């Protein structure tokens, strides 16, 4: 079983309901990826302290929890890696059915971009096969064309690859205790 505590800072206390949903999502994902056969009758507690929220919060929480499990040496069936993508709406006045609106996708959106976006998606992949989506969360408009969804997945996949590369670099660095 996995316990997950998300401790919002003072400016986020009014968003408690949103954080409860995030806690449930992270808990479910971590329970799926941890190899429970290797750790029977074990309770794992993951505590996330949010120091600053500047966008892409759910993917940062998911990636932080993943890194905490890796750092602790917890055996996992797969390593989830998450990325956020925002869809900004430019023009909803369309002439043709195939051109519903001009759009722009932004990888790792900051908070202002998320607030202005038509939709923000958090997509989580397995690191083994970046074609396998294990979790997806969308905030905003839910009706999107298939081509736009494919573009969101493609950009999220790029973001997940960036996270994997950054995590590898960070985990391979040896700490300098000489100071």
């Amino acid at each position: 079983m996995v316990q997950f505590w998300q401790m919002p800072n003072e400016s986020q206390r009014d968003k408690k309901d949103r954080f409860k949903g995030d806690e449930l999502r992270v808990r479910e994902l971590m329970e799926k990826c941890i190899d429970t056969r290797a750790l029977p009758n074990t309770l794992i507690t993951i505590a996330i302290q949010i120091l600053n929220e500047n966008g892409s919060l759910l993917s940062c929480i998911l990636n932080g929890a993943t890194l905490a499990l890796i750092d602790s040496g917890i055996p996992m069936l797969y390593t989830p890696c998450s990325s956020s993508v925002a869809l900004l709406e430019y023009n909803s006045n369309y002439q043709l059915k195939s051109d519903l609106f001009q759009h722009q996708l932004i990888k790792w959106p900051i908070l202002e971009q998320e607030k202005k976006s038509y939709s923000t998606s958090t997509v989580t992949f397995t690191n083994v096969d970046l074609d396998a989506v294990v979790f997806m969360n969308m905030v905003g408009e839910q009706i999107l064309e298939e081509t736009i969804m494919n573009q969101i997945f493609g950009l999220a996949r790029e973001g997940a690859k960036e996270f994997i590369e950054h995590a590898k670099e960070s985990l391979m660095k040896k700490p300098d205790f000489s100071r």
Side-chain angles (χ1 to χ4, degrees):
M1 175 170 174
V2 175
Q3 279 186 332
F4 174 75
W5 288 321
Q6 182 175 346
M7 298 171 279
N9 63 28
E10 290 300 319
S11 67
Q12 299 162 329
R13 299 255 186 245
D14 60 332
K15 301 176 185 174
K16 272 190 170 179
D17 291 338
R18 179 177 149 214
F19 290 128
K20 287 291 178 195
D22 290 350
E23 289 176 13
L24 180 62
R25 289 179 189 99
V26 173
R27 181 178 165 208
E28 288 173 350
L29 180 63
M30 294 300 124
E31 284 178 346
K32 289 178 186 175
C33 73
I34 293 172
D35 186 2
T36 55
R37 293 172 298 174
L39 302 167
N41 301 321
T42 302
L43 175 66
I44 298 169
T45 302
I46 301 170
I48 302 288
Q49 175 75 51
I50 300 168
L51 300 176
N52 187 11
E53 180 181 354
N54 194 23
S56 304
L57 182 63
L58 183 56
S59 61
C60 290
I61 290 170
L62 290 166
N63 290 336
T66 298
L67 289 174
L69 292 174
I70 291 170
D71 188 52
S72 299
I74 305 292
M76 294 190 285
L77 301 171
Y78 60 88
T79 308
C81 47
S82 188
S83 178
S84 292
V85 176
L87 171 63
L88 298 183
E89 183 177 4
Y90 278 141
N91 181 6
S92 60
N93 299 323
Y94 58 91
Q95 305 296 324
L96 304 171
K97 186 174 185 211
S98 62
D99 184 29
L100 284 180
F101 52 82
Q102 297 294 320
H103 63 275
Q104 177 185 11
L105 294 171
I106 299 175
K107 179 176 45 177
W108 302 112
I110 61 173
L111 195 56
E112 290 115 28
Q113 292 168 328
E114 284 183 354
K115 287 178 181 176
K116 293 177 184 176
S117 71
Y118 181 74
S119 176
T120 302
S121 304
T122 300
V123 185
T124 305
F125 301 92
T126 66
N127 71 326
V128 179
D129 180 8
L130 286 174
D131 288 331
V133 175
V134 292
F135 171 79
M136 181 166 178
N137 184 56
M138 290 184 73
V139 177
E141 296 294 325
Q142 302 293 321
I143 303 170
L144 298 175
E145 290 183 4
E146 184 178 346
T147 55
I148 295 174
M149 288 302 298
N150 289 336
Q151 291 173 359
I152 289 172
F153 283 127
L155 200 56
R157 192 173 290 112
E158 286 178 26
K161 286 178 184 177
E162 290 172 6
F163 166 72
I164 291 169
E165 289 305 312
H166 178 71
K168 283 179 185 177
E169 288 175 20
S170 299
L171 293 170
M172 297 306 284
K173 286 182 183 175
K174 296 189 182 200
D176 182 14
F177 297 115
S178 62
R179 296 183 208 182

